[in-house]
Amino acid sequence: MDIEKRIASLDLSRKVRLLTGSALFALWPEPAIGLTPLKLSDGPTGVRGAELRGGVIACVLPNATLLAQHWDTALAGEVGEVLADEAAAQQVHVVLGPTINLHRTPLGGRLFEAYSEDPLLTGELAAAYVRGLQDKGIAATPKHYVANESETERHTASSVLDAKTLREVYLLPFEIVVEDSSPWAIMAAYNKVNGIPATEHTELVEGVLKGEWGFDGLVMSDWFATSSTAESANGGLDLVMPGPGGPWEDKLVAAVEAGEVDESTIDDHLRRLLLLASRTGALGGERSWPQGLPAPDSTIRREQLRRFAAGGMTVLTNSGVLPLNASRVALIGRHAIDTVAQGGGSAGLRPPHVVSIADGLTTLLGDSVSVVDGVEVRLRHTAPGAGVLKDIRATTFDASGEVLASRELEIAELAAYGGWAQGAASIEVSGEVVLSEPARMLVGVRGFGDWTLEVGGEQHATRLAWADGVIEEALLKPPAWTTEVLVSPGGRITARVREAAALV
């Protein structure tokens, strides 16, 4: 059955259902037309998978800015191939990258996810990255279309641009990547462009991207970015993410029935979605996934990641200090001990290991290194690292207190929204502290809801509110609470949360 026959076999409500995600990183199946579920994953610098927190172990690649400093399209293609293997190992069909917005200000919060301030370099590297992914049957999703260069007020800001600047600077990377690598999907941005939301910008999506450039792929929204029904459907947006819920579904069916949106427009959106499914092996039969792919911590991946990182580094000046051969080296500061190896947002995932600056230098130089701690560098505490807790278990409950599911965890962190715990009325996470003698420790919880923390027979209660009303912000930057307690060897820490739990 070809795509047109598949579309014709569905009624309006079933067509529209397919145009909103089924979960945080998944699309609906439709067995009647041979459509199996599609799985998506964030992936500018690593394939995180379906879980925002506590998911599978995956490679953390050097950030895009460092990779761009190679000035090497062959290397960018190799990066795409690595990500394709990482995606295939998790049975992910669509990688949400590369990020091809531009460096316009040092204050840009996601500069590390993007290549460069130069649109030509950005476009050429992105095209190679896309080819590396799609040559292995994994869809790429260049983002964020378009002029999404500011994290500040990114949901509400309007990028005001004259036509020449828009064409020659901001659109150029997307034009290059569409022309040179034909990506199978593109992500529309949060921001407005000249006052019009990117998710409903008819001129830029239908006119330039799909019309002038001949883009035949799917245009999806950034997560929770779509705020209209008929306007976005008529403006060229093909898929609303995530789901279920959002401004389409029943509202879009009603808009078609009211004559605000033509059913032929719905058919075009579905045509593009089914083409994406066909290209990624999710239409007309189950995809065969490769076996025996290199593990994230394998020798081959270590060699690649070291080469990807080292080749993009340049020493601009050297007064003779390098290479280090001093009899004593002082390494000072919290970043040396608690080294930040990855960014947040779309780039955050669970790596196989992190080598701190202190560990790396000490391994190289031995006892000649003196490590001195510094001031706190994090505004928000991270989850306990490996070896702090053991025998960690998470249990979910329904509204009556009955157990829904229970799992052993490797780390004391999970995502309720979009993960296996979604839909639970309450969640409990418990772990045994690894200690040889009693110690005072800082313990706490992260995520919104009503919390109870039990340590050493004492209970602490707190409520963490979802203050700003933006669910995407609540998922990426949940509120937290901590307290200092006395913990004994073998003691357990148990955290329970109910009502609107998002992250533990």
Side-chain angles (χ1 to χ4, degrees):
M1 184 188 299
D2 63 21
I3 286 177
E4 296 305 321
K5 290 181 179 178
R6 286 180 165 92
I7 294 172
S9 70
L10 299 176
D11 61 25
L12 177 62
S13 62
R14 291 167 77 192
K15 292 177 187 177
V16 168
R17 179 175 182 264
L18 297 177
L19 302 180
T20 295
S22 62
L24 191 60
F25 291 108
L27 306 186
W28 291 106
E30 181 50 79
I33 61 171
L35 177 63
T36 58
L38 271 81
K39 185 177 177 181
L40 298 78
S41 172
D42 275 325
T45 56
V47 182
R48 177 166 57 201
E51 303 281 346
L52 274 176
R53 300 287 187 270
V56 300
I57 292 174
C59 283
V60 175
L61 275 71
N63 66 74
T65 308
L66 179 58
L67 294 173
Q69 290 165 185
H70 284 261
W71 293 73
D72 186 345
T73 54
L75 182 127
E78 186 181 354
V79 168
E81 291 171 358
V82 170
L83 290 171
D85 285 348
E86 290 273 292
Q90 300 182 47
Q91 298 189 9
V92 165
H93 301 83
V94 182
V95 167
L96 303 173
T99 299
I100 58 174
N101 300 115
L102 302 176
H103 298 183
R104 303 306 296 162
T105 166
L107 301 179
R110 295 176 76 177
L111 289 183
F112 67 92
E113 286 188 43
Y115 293 111
S116 168
E117 72 277 18
D118 183 273
L120 176 60
L121 176 63
T122 295
E124 294 289 348
L125 294 174
Y129 173 113
V130 169
R131 289 192 294 270
L133 273 166
Q134 295 186 169
D135 284 351
K136 290 195 168 189
I138 305 297
T141 314
K143 61 184 186 181
H144 309 81
Y145 189 80
V146 61
N148 182 217
E149 275 68 23
S150 174
E151 274 294 276
T152 303
E153 302 294 337
R154 65 174 175 164
H155 293 91
T156 56
S158 178
S159 299
V160 179
L161 303 160
D162 63 85
K164 179 178 175 66
T165 305
L166 179 60
R167 287 280 184 169
E168 296 183 0
V169 178
Y170 296 96
L171 283 172
L172 183 57
F174 290 94
E175 183 177 7
I176 292 171
V177 80
V178 168
E179 181 175 332
D180 291 355
S181 62
S182 300
W184 298 341
I186 281 179
M187 185 185 294
Y190 287 113
N191 57 283
K192 301 178 179 70
V193 181
N194 293 331
I196 303 172
T199 51
E200 55 191 66
H201 208 301
T202 307
E203 178 184 353
L204 292 178
V205 179
E206 288 287 355
V208 176
L209 179 60
K210 293 181 176 180
E212 185 179 324
W213 298 346
F215 174 68
D216 68 352
L218 174 135
V219 178
M220 70 178 73
S221 72
D222 205 337
W223 268 229
F224 307 102
T226 315
S227 58
S228 64
T229 301
E231 294 87 347
S232 54
N234 289 328
L237 190 67
D238 299 308
L239 174 68
V240 168
M241 291 300 296
W248 281 15
E249 296 188 336
D250 292 344
K251 294 178 182 177
L252 185 52
V253 172
V256 174
E257 292 173 342
E260 298 171 5
V261 179
D262 289 340
E263 188 164 354
S264 62
T265 299
I266 303 300
D267 290 348
D268 183 64
H269 299 326
L270 184 55
R271 186 176 296 112
R272 291 170 180 270
L273 186 145
L274 295 181
L275 179 58
L276 173 66
S278 176
R279 286 167 162 169
T280 56
L283 187 65
E286 290 284 349
R287 173 172 178 156
S288 176
W289 298 98
Q291 303 297 313
L293 294 168
D297 206 24
S298 63
T299 300
I300 184 172
R301 290 292 183 249
R302 283 174 172 264
E303 183 280 326
Q304 287 176 305
L305 298 181
R306 178 183 291 268
R307 178 164 45 84
F308 292 168
M313 298 179 184
T314 302
V315 177
L316 298 181
T317 62
N318 182 14
S319 61
V321 173
L322 300 177
L324 288 173
N325 59 5
S327 59
R328 299 298 297 171
V329 175
L331 184 60
I332 303 168
R334 180 65 58 83
H335 278 307
I337 301 166
D338 185 12
T339 301
V340 177
Q342 56 184 313
S346 297
L349 52 80
R350 186 179 166 211
H353 63 269
V354 173
V355 178
S356 70
I357 296 171
D359 288 343
L361 270 184
T362 302
T363 299
L364 179 66
L365 302 176
D367 293 339
S368 66
V369 179
S370 296
V371 181
V372 181
D373 196 3
V375 299
E376 182 61 66
V377 295
R378 295 181 185 270
L379 295 176
R380 302 170 62 248
H381 296 285
T382 59
V388 177
L389 296 173
K390 67 178 183 179
D391 186 25
I392 305 168
R393 176 164 291 277
T395 305
T396 60
F397 304 88
D398 65 16
S400 65
E402 294 294 319
V403 173
L404 294 173
S406 185
R407 290 189 182 185
E408 291 185 1
L409 302 179
E410 294 180 353
I411 58 175
E413 188 175 33
L414 63 90
Y417 188 90
W420 67 272
Q422 182 163 336
S426 61
I427 302 170
E428 177 181 289
V429 179
S430 179
E432 180 182 332
V433 182
V434 179
L435 284 175
S436 58
E437 59 184 35
R440 296 198 68 83
M441 302 181 68
L442 192 67
V443 300
V445 294
R446 187 173 67 204
F448 55 86
D450 289 322
W451 287 93
T452 303
L453 184 68
E454 184 174 322
V455 186
E458 295 185 359
Q459 284 196 349
H460 307 265
T462 188
R463 178 174 178 80
L464 297 178
W466 173 15
D468 60 12
V470 180
I471 189 169
E472 186 256 352
E473 294 298 319
L475 292 172
L476 297 179
K477 294 183 287 188
W481 171 88
T482 59
T483 187
E484 189 175 284
V485 298
L486 179 64
V487 184
S488 301
R492 293 193 71 81
I493 298 175
T494 301
R496 303 181 184 90
V497 63
R498 62 182 178 85
E499 292 187 10
L503 296 177
V504 178

